[in-house]
Amino acid sequence: MKRILAVSVITGLSAALVAAWLIRKPNPEPVSVVAALKPAKPTLYCEFYNFVGRSPKVGFTFALSGAAAAPRVTQLNQIESDGTRTAFESEGIAAPLWTFEAGAPPTLVSPGEAIRILLYGYEGTESAKAQFGEVRSASAWFEAGLRSIQYLNLDGKCRRSGA
C-alpha cells in the first residue's frame, strides 16, 4: 500500500512539474501577416530530358523581373543529371544574366550564346497569348527545347510560377 501511495505521489509531482514548465514556456512570436501575404518572385523552371525522354538530363531555374513580354532573366541554379547543383549567388558565383529574345518562339540565350532555350508556349508574349488564349494557367507546363553543343538538342518543358 505504501508503495502504491509513493508511486502516485511521485507521478502527481512529475505531472505538476511538467504542467508548470509548459505554462511558463514563452510563446513564440506571431508570424507577420504582411510577410505571409507577400507574393513570391516570378520564376521559370525548365528541365530537359535525355534522348529517350524518360529522365531529366539538366534543369535550370531563372528569376524573372520586368515586363512579361521582355523580362530580365537571371539564372538562379542549374541541376545536372548526376546530382551536381550550382546555386548561383549563394555559392559566391555571380548569377548569369540571360538574354530574352522575343520571337516565334521566344528564346532564352545564355551569356556567351552557348545555350539557347526555345520557349514554345511562354505565356508572357503576345504570340503565346494568341495561340493559347488568356485562360492558360501561369503555372502550367509548356513545351521547350534546349539547343547547345554540350547538351545537344534536347526536348523538355518549362513552368512559370510566382506573381
Short mmCIF file of all heavy atoms in Angstrom, two decimals, residues 48-119:
data_model
loop_
_atom_site.label_atom_id
_atom_site.label_comp_id
_atom_site.label_asym_id
_atom_site.label_seq_id
_atom_site.Cartn_x
_atom_site.Cartn_y
_atom_site.Cartn_z
N PHE A 48 15.12 19.44 -69.08
CA PHE A 48 15.28 18.83 -70.39
C PHE A 48 15.71 17.38 -70.20
O PHE A 48 16.46 17.05 -69.30
CB PHE A 48 16.30 19.62 -71.21
CG PHE A 48 15.85 21.03 -71.41
CD1 PHE A 48 16.27 22.03 -70.56
CD2 PHE A 48 14.95 21.35 -72.41
CE1 PHE A 48 15.82 23.33 -70.70
CE2 PHE A 48 14.50 22.64 -72.58
CZ PHE A 48 14.94 23.64 -71.72
N TYR A 49 15.20 16.51 -71.09
CA TYR A 49 15.31 15.06 -70.91
C TYR A 49 16.31 14.44 -71.86
O TYR A 49 16.58 14.97 -72.93
CB TYR A 49 13.94 14.42 -71.12
CG TYR A 49 12.91 15.03 -70.20
CD1 TYR A 49 12.05 16.02 -70.65
CD2 TYR A 49 12.84 14.66 -68.86
CE1 TYR A 49 11.14 16.60 -69.81
CE2 TYR A 49 11.92 15.23 -68.02
CZ TYR A 49 11.07 16.20 -68.49
OH TYR A 49 10.18 16.78 -67.65
N ASN A 50 16.81 13.26 -71.44
CA ASN A 50 17.70 12.51 -72.32
C ASN A 50 16.95 12.13 -73.60
O ASN A 50 15.75 12.34 -73.70
CB ASN A 50 18.27 11.28 -71.60
CG ASN A 50 17.19 10.32 -71.16
OD1 ASN A 50 16.04 10.38 -71.57
ND2 ASN A 50 17.57 9.40 -70.28
N PHE A 51 17.63 11.56 -74.54
CA PHE A 51 17.04 11.31 -75.85
C PHE A 51 15.82 10.40 -75.80
O PHE A 51 14.98 10.43 -76.68
CB PHE A 51 18.09 10.74 -76.82
CG PHE A 51 18.61 9.39 -76.44
CD1 PHE A 51 18.04 8.25 -76.95
CD2 PHE A 51 19.67 9.26 -75.54
CE1 PHE A 51 18.52 7.00 -76.60
CE2 PHE A 51 20.15 8.02 -75.19
CZ PHE A 51 19.58 6.89 -75.72
N VAL A 52 15.68 9.60 -74.79
CA VAL A 52 14.53 8.72 -74.66
C VAL A 52 13.35 9.47 -74.03
O VAL A 52 12.20 9.09 -74.20
CB VAL A 52 14.89 7.47 -73.81
CG1 VAL A 52 13.71 6.53 -73.68
CG2 VAL A 52 16.06 6.74 -74.42
N GLY A 53 13.63 10.55 -73.32
CA GLY A 53 12.57 11.34 -72.72
C GLY A 53 12.06 10.80 -71.40
O GLY A 53 10.97 11.12 -70.97
N ARG A 54 12.85 9.97 -70.74
CA ARG A 54 12.39 9.35 -69.50
C ARG A 54 12.95 9.99 -68.25
O ARG A 54 12.30 9.99 -67.22
CB ARG A 54 12.72 7.87 -69.51
CG ARG A 54 12.01 7.12 -70.59
CD ARG A 54 12.30 5.64 -70.49
NE ARG A 54 11.77 4.94 -71.63
CZ ARG A 54 10.64 4.27 -71.61
NH1 ARG A 54 9.93 4.20 -70.52
NH2 ARG A 54 10.22 3.66 -72.70
N SER A 55 14.14 10.53 -68.30
CA SER A 55 14.72 11.11 -67.09
C SER A 55 15.35 12.47 -67.42
O SER A 55 15.90 12.65 -68.50
CB SER A 55 15.77 10.17 -66.49
OG SER A 55 16.81 9.96 -67.40
N PRO A 56 15.25 13.42 -66.49
CA PRO A 56 15.83 14.74 -66.73
C PRO A 56 17.35 14.66 -66.87
O PRO A 56 18.01 13.94 -66.14
CB PRO A 56 15.44 15.54 -65.50
CG PRO A 56 14.32 14.80 -64.87
CD PRO A 56 14.52 13.36 -65.23
N LYS A 57 17.88 15.40 -67.82
CA LYS A 57 19.33 15.47 -68.01
C LYS A 57 19.89 16.74 -67.38
O LYS A 57 20.95 16.72 -66.78
CB LYS A 57 19.67 15.42 -69.50
CG LYS A 57 21.15 15.42 -69.77
CD LYS A 57 21.43 15.09 -71.21
CE LYS A 57 22.91 15.16 -71.47
NZ LYS A 57 23.51 13.88 -71.68
N VAL A 58 19.15 17.86 -67.49
CA VAL A 58 19.59 19.13 -66.92
C VAL A 58 18.36 19.98 -66.63
O VAL A 58 17.36 19.89 -67.34
CB VAL A 58 20.58 19.86 -67.86
CG1 VAL A 58 19.93 20.25 -69.17
CG2 VAL A 58 21.20 21.07 -67.20
N GLY A 59 18.45 20.77 -65.56
CA GLY A 59 17.36 21.67 -65.20
C GLY A 59 17.92 23.05 -64.88
O GLY A 59 19.03 23.18 -64.36
N PHE A 60 17.16 24.08 -65.22
CA PHE A 60 17.55 25.46 -64.97
C PHE A 60 16.42 26.17 -64.24
O PHE A 60 15.25 25.96 -64.55
CB PHE A 60 17.76 26.22 -66.30
CG PHE A 60 18.80 25.62 -67.19
CD1 PHE A 60 18.46 24.68 -68.15
CD2 PHE A 60 20.13 26.02 -67.10
CE1 PHE A 60 19.42 24.14 -69.00
CE2 PHE A 60 21.09 25.48 -67.94
CZ PHE A 60 20.73 24.55 -68.89
N THR A 61 16.76 27.02 -63.28
CA THR A 61 15.78 27.88 -62.63
C THR A 61 16.21 29.32 -62.86
O THR A 61 17.37 29.67 -62.64
CB THR A 61 15.69 27.60 -61.12
OG1 THR A 61 15.41 26.22 -60.92
CG2 THR A 61 14.58 28.43 -60.48
N PHE A 62 15.25 30.14 -63.30
CA PHE A 62 15.51 31.54 -63.60
C PHE A 62 14.59 32.43 -62.78
O PHE A 62 13.43 32.07 -62.53
CB PHE A 62 15.24 31.84 -65.08
CG PHE A 62 16.05 31.01 -66.03
CD1 PHE A 62 15.51 29.88 -66.63
CD2 PHE A 62 17.35 31.35 -66.33
CE1 PHE A 62 16.24 29.11 -67.52
CE2 PHE A 62 18.10 30.58 -67.21
CZ PHE A 62 17.55 29.46 -67.80
N ALA A 63 15.08 33.59 -62.39
CA ALA A 63 14.24 34.63 -61.78
C ALA A 63 13.85 35.58 -62.90
O ALA A 63 14.69 35.95 -63.73
CB ALA A 63 15.01 35.37 -60.69
N LEU A 64 12.59 35.97 -62.93
CA LEU A 64 12.08 36.88 -63.95
C LEU A 64 11.72 38.20 -63.30
O LEU A 64 11.12 38.23 -62.24
CB LEU A 64 10.84 36.29 -64.63
CG LEU A 64 11.01 34.90 -65.25
CD1 LEU A 64 9.67 34.41 -65.76
CD2 LEU A 64 12.02 34.93 -66.37
N SER A 65 12.07 39.30 -63.94
CA SER A 65 11.67 40.61 -63.45
C SER A 65 11.44 41.51 -64.65
O SER A 65 11.93 41.25 -65.74
CB SER A 65 12.73 41.21 -62.53
OG SER A 65 13.97 41.32 -63.21
N GLY A 66 10.67 42.56 -64.44
CA GLY A 66 10.36 43.47 -65.54
C GLY A 66 9.11 43.05 -66.27
O GLY A 66 8.31 42.24 -65.80
N ALA A 67 8.92 43.58 -67.46
CA ALA A 67 7.73 43.33 -68.27
C ALA A 67 7.69 41.87 -68.72
O ALA A 67 8.72 41.28 -69.04
CB ALA A 67 7.73 44.24 -69.49
N ALA A 68 6.48 41.31 -68.76
CA ALA A 68 6.33 39.90 -69.14
C ALA A 68 6.73 39.65 -70.59
O ALA A 68 7.22 38.58 -70.92
CB ALA A 68 4.88 39.46 -68.92
N ALA A 69 6.54 40.64 -71.48
CA ALA A 69 6.88 40.46 -72.89
C ALA A 69 8.39 40.50 -73.12
O ALA A 69 8.87 39.98 -74.11
CB ALA A 69 6.18 41.52 -73.72
N ALA A 70 9.14 41.15 -72.23
CA ALA A 70 10.60 41.22 -72.35
C ALA A 70 11.22 41.24 -70.97
O ALA A 70 11.75 42.26 -70.52
CB ALA A 70 11.00 42.45 -73.15
N PRO A 71 11.16 40.12 -70.24
CA PRO A 71 11.66 40.11 -68.86
C PRO A 71 13.18 40.09 -68.77
O PRO A 71 13.87 39.69 -69.70
CB PRO A 71 11.09 38.81 -68.29
CG PRO A 71 11.01 37.92 -69.49
CD PRO A 71 10.65 38.82 -70.64
N ARG A 72 13.66 40.53 -67.61
CA ARG A 72 15.08 40.38 -67.27
C ARG A 72 15.19 38.96 -66.69
O ARG A 72 14.45 38.60 -65.77
CB ARG A 72 15.48 41.43 -66.25
CG ARG A 72 16.90 41.32 -65.78
CD ARG A 72 17.16 42.38 -64.72
NE ARG A 72 18.39 42.12 -64.04
CZ ARG A 72 19.52 42.79 -64.27
NH1 ARG A 72 19.53 43.76 -65.15
NH2 ARG A 72 20.62 42.49 -63.61
N VAL A 73 16.09 38.15 -67.21
CA VAL A 73 16.18 36.73 -66.85
C VAL A 73 17.53 36.47 -66.17
O VAL A 73 18.57 36.59 -66.80
CB VAL A 73 16.02 35.84 -68.10
CG1 VAL A 73 16.07 34.38 -67.72
CG2 VAL A 73 14.73 36.17 -68.83
N THR A 74 17.47 36.10 -64.88
CA THR A 74 18.67 35.81 -64.11
C THR A 74 18.66 34.34 -63.73
O THR A 74 17.69 33.86 -63.15
CB THR A 74 18.72 36.67 -62.83
OG1 THR A 74 18.57 38.04 -63.19
CG2 THR A 74 20.02 36.47 -62.09
N GLN A 75 19.73 33.62 -64.03
CA GLN A 75 19.79 32.19 -63.71
C GLN A 75 20.08 32.03 -62.22
O GLN A 75 21.06 32.56 -61.70
CB GLN A 75 20.87 31.50 -64.53
CG GLN A 75 20.89 30.00 -64.33
CD GLN A 75 21.91 29.30 -65.21
OE1 GLN A 75 22.61 29.91 -66.00
NE2 GLN A 75 21.99 27.99 -65.06
N LEU A 76 19.20 31.29 -61.52
CA LEU A 76 19.37 31.05 -60.09
C LEU A 76 20.17 29.79 -59.81
O LEU A 76 21.00 29.76 -58.90
CB LEU A 76 18.00 30.96 -59.40
CG LEU A 76 17.12 32.19 -59.50
CD1 LEU A 76 15.77 31.92 -58.87
CD2 LEU A 76 17.80 33.38 -58.87
N ASN A 77 19.87 28.71 -60.55
CA ASN A 77 20.62 27.47 -60.35
C ASN A 77 20.57 26.59 -61.58
O ASN A 77 19.81 26.85 -62.51
CB ASN A 77 20.16 26.72 -59.10
CG ASN A 77 18.76 26.19 -59.21
OD1 ASN A 77 18.34 25.71 -60.25
ND2 ASN A 77 18.01 26.26 -58.13
N GLN A 78 21.40 25.57 -61.56
CA GLN A 78 21.47 24.58 -62.63
C GLN A 78 21.69 23.23 -61.98
O GLN A 78 22.57 23.07 -61.14
CB GLN A 78 22.61 24.92 -63.59
CG GLN A 78 22.70 24.02 -64.77
CD GLN A 78 23.67 24.56 -65.82
OE1 GLN A 78 23.90 25.75 -65.91
NE2 GLN A 78 24.23 23.67 -66.61
N ILE A 79 20.87 22.25 -62.35
CA ILE A 79 20.93 20.92 -61.77
C ILE A 79 21.23 19.92 -62.88
O ILE A 79 20.52 19.86 -63.88
CB ILE A 79 19.59 20.57 -61.08
CG1 ILE A 79 19.24 21.63 -60.05
CG2 ILE A 79 19.67 19.19 -60.44
CD1 ILE A 79 17.81 21.60 -59.61
N GLU A 80 22.27 19.13 -62.69
CA GLU A 80 22.68 18.14 -63.69
C GLU A 80 22.12 16.77 -63.32
O GLU A 80 21.78 16.52 -62.17
CB GLU A 80 24.21 18.07 -63.77
CG GLU A 80 24.88 19.39 -64.09
CD GLU A 80 24.73 19.81 -65.54
OE1 GLU A 80 24.49 18.96 -66.41
OE2 GLU A 80 24.85 21.02 -65.80
N SER A 81 22.08 15.86 -64.29
CA SER A 81 21.54 14.52 -64.05
C SER A 81 22.36 13.71 -63.06
O SER A 81 21.85 12.81 -62.41
CB SER A 81 21.42 13.75 -65.36
OG SER A 81 22.69 13.60 -65.95
N ASP A 82 23.64 14.03 -62.90
CA ASP A 82 24.47 13.30 -61.94
C ASP A 82 24.30 13.81 -60.51
O ASP A 82 24.96 13.33 -59.59
CB ASP A 82 25.94 13.34 -62.35
CG ASP A 82 26.53 14.75 -62.33
OD1 ASP A 82 25.82 15.71 -61.97
OD2 ASP A 82 27.72 14.89 -62.68
N GLY A 83 23.41 14.79 -60.31
CA GLY A 83 23.13 15.31 -58.98
C GLY A 83 23.87 16.58 -58.62
O GLY A 83 23.58 17.19 -57.60
N THR A 84 24.83 17.00 -59.44
CA THR A 84 25.52 18.25 -59.12
C THR A 84 24.59 19.43 -59.33
O THR A 84 23.77 19.44 -60.25
CB THR A 84 26.79 18.44 -59.99
OG1 THR A 84 26.41 18.45 -61.36
CG2 THR A 84 27.81 17.35 -59.73
N ARG A 85 24.72 20.39 -58.44
CA ARG A 85 23.85 21.56 -58.48
C ARG A 85 24.70 22.80 -58.26
O ARG A 85 25.49 22.85 -57.33
CB ARG A 85 22.78 21.46 -57.39
CG ARG A 85 21.87 22.64 -57.35
CD ARG A 85 20.84 22.48 -56.26
NE ARG A 85 19.95 23.61 -56.28
CZ ARG A 85 18.69 23.57 -55.97
NH1 ARG A 85 18.17 22.43 -55.57
NH2 ARG A 85 17.95 24.63 -56.02
N THR A 86 24.52 23.77 -59.12
CA THR A 86 25.19 25.05 -58.97
C THR A 86 24.13 26.07 -58.59
O THR A 86 23.22 26.35 -59.37
CB THR A 86 25.89 25.48 -60.28
OG1 THR A 86 26.78 24.45 -60.67
CG2 THR A 86 26.64 26.77 -60.09
N ALA A 87 24.23 26.58 -57.38
CA ALA A 87 23.30 27.61 -56.90
C ALA A 87 24.04 28.94 -56.93
O ALA A 87 24.87 29.21 -56.07
CB ALA A 87 22.81 27.29 -55.50
N PHE A 88 23.77 29.73 -57.95
CA PHE A 88 24.47 30.99 -58.12
C PHE A 88 24.11 31.92 -56.97
O PHE A 88 23.09 31.77 -56.32
CB PHE A 88 24.11 31.61 -59.47
CG PHE A 88 24.49 30.74 -60.62
CD1 PHE A 88 23.54 29.95 -61.26
CD2 PHE A 88 25.80 30.66 -61.04
CE1 PHE A 88 23.89 29.13 -62.30
CE2 PHE A 88 26.16 29.83 -62.09
CZ PHE A 88 25.21 29.07 -62.73
N GLU A 89 24.94 32.90 -56.70
CA GLU A 89 24.83 33.87 -55.62
C GLU A 89 25.11 33.23 -54.27
O GLU A 89 25.95 33.70 -53.54
CB GLU A 89 23.46 34.58 -55.62
CG GLU A 89 23.16 35.39 -56.85
CD GLU A 89 24.04 36.62 -57.01
OE1 GLU A 89 24.37 37.27 -56.01
OE2 GLU A 89 24.39 36.93 -58.16
N SER A 90 24.42 32.15 -53.91
CA SER A 90 24.64 31.55 -52.60
C SER A 90 26.02 30.89 -52.50
O SER A 90 26.54 30.70 -51.42
CB SER A 90 23.55 30.53 -52.27
OG SER A 90 23.61 29.45 -53.16
N GLU A 91 26.60 30.51 -53.63
CA GLU A 91 27.93 29.91 -53.65
C GLU A 91 29.01 30.93 -53.99
O GLU A 91 30.14 30.57 -54.27
CB GLU A 91 27.96 28.74 -54.64
CG GLU A 91 27.06 27.59 -54.23
CD GLU A 91 27.10 26.44 -55.20
OE1 GLU A 91 27.89 26.46 -56.17
OE2 GLU A 91 26.33 25.49 -55.01
N GLY A 92 28.63 32.21 -54.01
CA GLY A 92 29.60 33.26 -54.31
C GLY A 92 29.89 33.41 -55.79
O GLY A 92 30.79 34.12 -56.19
N ILE A 93 29.12 32.73 -56.63
CA ILE A 93 29.28 32.84 -58.08
C ILE A 93 28.24 33.82 -58.59
O ILE A 93 27.06 33.72 -58.23
CB ILE A 93 29.07 31.46 -58.76
CG1 ILE A 93 30.02 30.43 -58.17
CG2 ILE A 93 29.24 31.57 -60.26
CD1 ILE A 93 29.69 29.00 -58.58
N ALA A 94 28.65 34.77 -59.37
CA ALA A 94 27.71 35.76 -59.91
C ALA A 94 26.66 35.06 -60.76
O ALA A 94 26.98 34.19 -61.57
CB ALA A 94 28.45 36.80 -60.74
N ALA A 95 25.41 35.44 -60.55
CA ALA A 95 24.31 34.84 -61.30
C ALA A 95 24.35 35.33 -62.75
O ALA A 95 24.37 36.53 -62.99
CB ALA A 95 22.97 35.20 -60.66
N PRO A 96 24.36 34.40 -63.71
CA PRO A 96 24.40 34.81 -65.12
C PRO A 96 23.09 35.49 -65.54
O PRO A 96 22.01 35.08 -65.13
CB PRO A 96 24.55 33.50 -65.88
CG PRO A 96 24.91 32.47 -64.87
CD PRO A 96 24.44 32.96 -63.55
N LEU A 97 23.21 36.52 -66.33
CA LEU A 97 22.07 37.24 -66.88
C LEU A 97 21.87 36.77 -68.31
O LEU A 97 22.73 36.97 -69.16
CB LEU A 97 22.32 38.74 -66.82
CG LEU A 97 21.16 39.64 -67.16
CD1 LEU A 97 20.00 39.39 -66.19
CD2 LEU A 97 21.59 41.09 -67.08
N TRP A 98 20.75 36.09 -68.56
CA TRP A 98 20.45 35.56 -69.88
C TRP A 98 19.71 36.63 -70.68
O TRP A 98 19.08 37.53 -70.12
CB TRP A 98 19.59 34.31 -69.77
CG TRP A 98 20.32 33.10 -69.27
CD1 TRP A 98 21.12 33.01 -68.16
CD2 TRP A 98 20.31 31.80 -69.85
NE1 TRP A 98 21.60 31.74 -68.02
CE2 TRP A 98 21.11 30.97 -69.04
CE3 TRP A 98 19.69 31.26 -70.95
CZ2 TRP A 98 21.33 29.63 -69.31
CZ3 TRP A 98 19.89 29.92 -71.22
CH2 TRP A 98 20.71 29.11 -70.41
N THR A 99 19.74 36.49 -71.99
CA THR A 99 19.04 37.40 -72.89
C THR A 99 17.72 36.78 -73.29
O THR A 99 17.65 35.59 -73.62
CB THR A 99 19.89 37.66 -74.16
OG1 THR A 99 21.16 38.13 -73.76
CG2 THR A 99 19.22 38.66 -75.06
N PHE A 100 16.65 37.59 -73.26
CA PHE A 100 15.33 37.14 -73.70
C PHE A 100 15.11 37.70 -75.10
O PHE A 100 15.13 38.90 -75.30
CB PHE A 100 14.24 37.64 -72.76
CG PHE A 100 12.86 37.20 -73.16
CD1 PHE A 100 12.37 35.99 -72.73
CD2 PHE A 100 12.07 38.00 -73.96
CE1 PHE A 100 11.09 35.58 -73.09
CE2 PHE A 100 10.79 37.60 -74.34
CZ PHE A 100 10.30 36.38 -73.91
N GLU A 101 14.95 36.80 -76.08
CA GLU A 101 14.69 37.22 -77.45
C GLU A 101 13.24 36.91 -77.78
O GLU A 101 12.84 35.76 -77.85
CB GLU A 101 15.60 36.49 -78.43
CG GLU A 101 17.06 36.83 -78.30
CD GLU A 101 17.95 36.05 -79.26
OE1 GLU A 101 17.46 35.10 -79.92
OE2 GLU A 101 19.14 36.39 -79.34
N ALA A 102 12.44 37.98 -77.95
CA ALA A 102 11.04 37.79 -78.33
C ALA A 102 11.01 37.31 -79.77
O ALA A 102 11.80 37.73 -80.60
CB ALA A 102 10.28 39.09 -78.18
N GLY A 103 10.15 36.41 -80.04
CA GLY A 103 10.03 35.87 -81.39
C GLY A 103 9.06 34.72 -81.38
O GLY A 103 8.31 34.54 -80.43
N ALA A 104 9.06 33.96 -82.44
CA ALA A 104 8.17 32.82 -82.51
C ALA A 104 9.03 31.57 -82.69
O ALA A 104 9.46 31.30 -83.81
CB ALA A 104 7.19 32.96 -83.65
N PRO A 105 9.38 30.83 -81.71
CA PRO A 105 9.05 31.01 -80.29
C PRO A 105 10.06 31.94 -79.60
O PRO A 105 11.16 32.15 -80.10
CB PRO A 105 9.19 29.60 -79.73
CG PRO A 105 10.28 28.99 -80.55
CD PRO A 105 10.11 29.58 -81.94
N PRO A 106 9.68 32.48 -78.43
CA PRO A 106 10.64 33.27 -77.66
C PRO A 106 11.82 32.38 -77.24
O PRO A 106 11.66 31.17 -77.09
CB PRO A 106 9.86 33.72 -76.43
CG PRO A 106 8.45 33.39 -76.70
CD PRO A 106 8.39 32.39 -77.79
N THR A 107 12.98 32.98 -77.07
CA THR A 107 14.19 32.21 -76.79
C THR A 107 14.98 32.86 -75.67
O THR A 107 15.10 34.08 -75.61
CB THR A 107 15.08 32.14 -78.06
OG1 THR A 107 14.30 31.61 -79.13
CG2 THR A 107 16.28 31.27 -77.84
N LEU A 108 15.52 32.03 -74.77
CA LEU A 108 16.47 32.48 -73.77
C LEU A 108 17.87 32.12 -74.27
O LEU A 108 18.09 30.99 -74.71
CB LEU A 108 16.23 31.78 -72.43
CG LEU A 108 14.90 32.02 -71.75
CD1 LEU A 108 14.82 31.22 -70.45
CD2 LEU A 108 14.70 33.49 -71.46
N VAL A 109 18.78 33.07 -74.20
CA VAL A 109 20.14 32.84 -74.68
C VAL A 109 21.11 33.08 -73.53
O VAL A 109 21.07 34.12 -72.88
CB VAL A 109 20.47 33.79 -75.86
CG1 VAL A 109 21.87 33.51 -76.38
CG2 VAL A 109 19.43 33.67 -76.96
N SER A 110 21.98 32.09 -73.29
CA SER A 110 22.94 32.18 -72.19
C SER A 110 24.02 33.20 -72.53
O SER A 110 24.25 33.51 -73.70
CB SER A 110 23.58 30.82 -71.94
OG SER A 110 24.42 30.47 -73.01
N PRO A 111 24.71 33.70 -71.49
CA PRO A 111 25.86 34.56 -71.76
C PRO A 111 26.88 33.76 -72.58
O PRO A 111 27.13 32.59 -72.30
CB PRO A 111 26.42 34.87 -70.37
CG PRO A 111 25.30 34.59 -69.43
CD PRO A 111 24.46 33.53 -70.06
N GLY A 112 27.42 34.34 -73.61
CA GLY A 112 28.34 33.62 -74.48
C GLY A 112 27.62 32.83 -75.56
O GLY A 112 28.25 32.21 -76.40
N GLU A 113 26.31 32.80 -75.52
CA GLU A 113 25.44 32.17 -76.51
C GLU A 113 25.70 30.67 -76.71
O GLU A 113 25.44 30.13 -77.77
CB GLU A 113 25.53 32.92 -77.84
CG GLU A 113 25.11 34.37 -77.71
CD GLU A 113 25.13 35.11 -79.04
OE1 GLU A 113 25.35 34.46 -80.09
OE2 GLU A 113 24.92 36.32 -79.01
N ALA A 114 26.19 29.98 -75.68
CA ALA A 114 26.46 28.55 -75.79
C ALA A 114 25.18 27.71 -75.65
O ALA A 114 25.12 26.59 -76.16
CB ALA A 114 27.46 28.12 -74.73
N ILE A 115 24.16 28.25 -74.96
CA ILE A 115 22.92 27.52 -74.74
C ILE A 115 21.76 28.40 -75.16
O ILE A 115 21.71 29.60 -74.84
CB ILE A 115 22.75 27.13 -73.25
CG1 ILE A 115 23.90 26.23 -72.80
CG2 ILE A 115 21.41 26.44 -73.02
CD1 ILE A 115 23.89 25.91 -71.32
N ARG A 116 20.81 27.81 -75.87
CA ARG A 116 19.58 28.50 -76.26
C ARG A 116 18.40 27.65 -75.79
O ARG A 116 18.39 26.44 -76.02
CB ARG A 116 19.51 28.71 -77.77
CG ARG A 116 20.67 29.53 -78.32
CD ARG A 116 20.61 29.67 -79.82
NE ARG A 116 19.64 30.64 -80.28
CZ ARG A 116 19.78 31.97 -80.24
NH1 ARG A 116 20.87 32.47 -79.72
NH2 ARG A 116 18.85 32.76 -80.70
N ILE A 117 17.44 28.28 -75.15
CA ILE A 117 16.22 27.59 -74.72
C ILE A 117 15.05 28.18 -75.47
O ILE A 117 14.75 29.38 -75.34
CB ILE A 117 16.02 27.72 -73.20
CG1 ILE A 117 17.18 27.05 -72.45
CG2 ILE A 117 14.67 27.10 -72.79
CD1 ILE A 117 17.12 27.19 -70.95
N LEU A 118 14.38 27.35 -76.27
CA LEU A 118 13.23 27.78 -77.05
C LEU A 118 11.97 27.55 -76.21
O LEU A 118 11.72 26.42 -75.77
CB LEU A 118 13.15 27.00 -78.36
CG LEU A 118 14.42 27.02 -79.22
CD1 LEU A 118 14.27 26.07 -80.39
CD2 LEU A 118 14.73 28.42 -79.68
N LEU A 119 11.19 28.59 -75.99
CA LEU A 119 10.00 28.53 -75.14
C LEU A 119 8.76 28.49 -76.02
O LEU A 119 8.21 29.52 -76.38
CB LEU A 119 9.97 29.74 -74.20
CG LEU A 119 11.22 29.96 -73.35
CD1 LEU A 119 11.15 31.30 -72.64
CD2 LEU A 119 11.38 28.82 -72.37
#
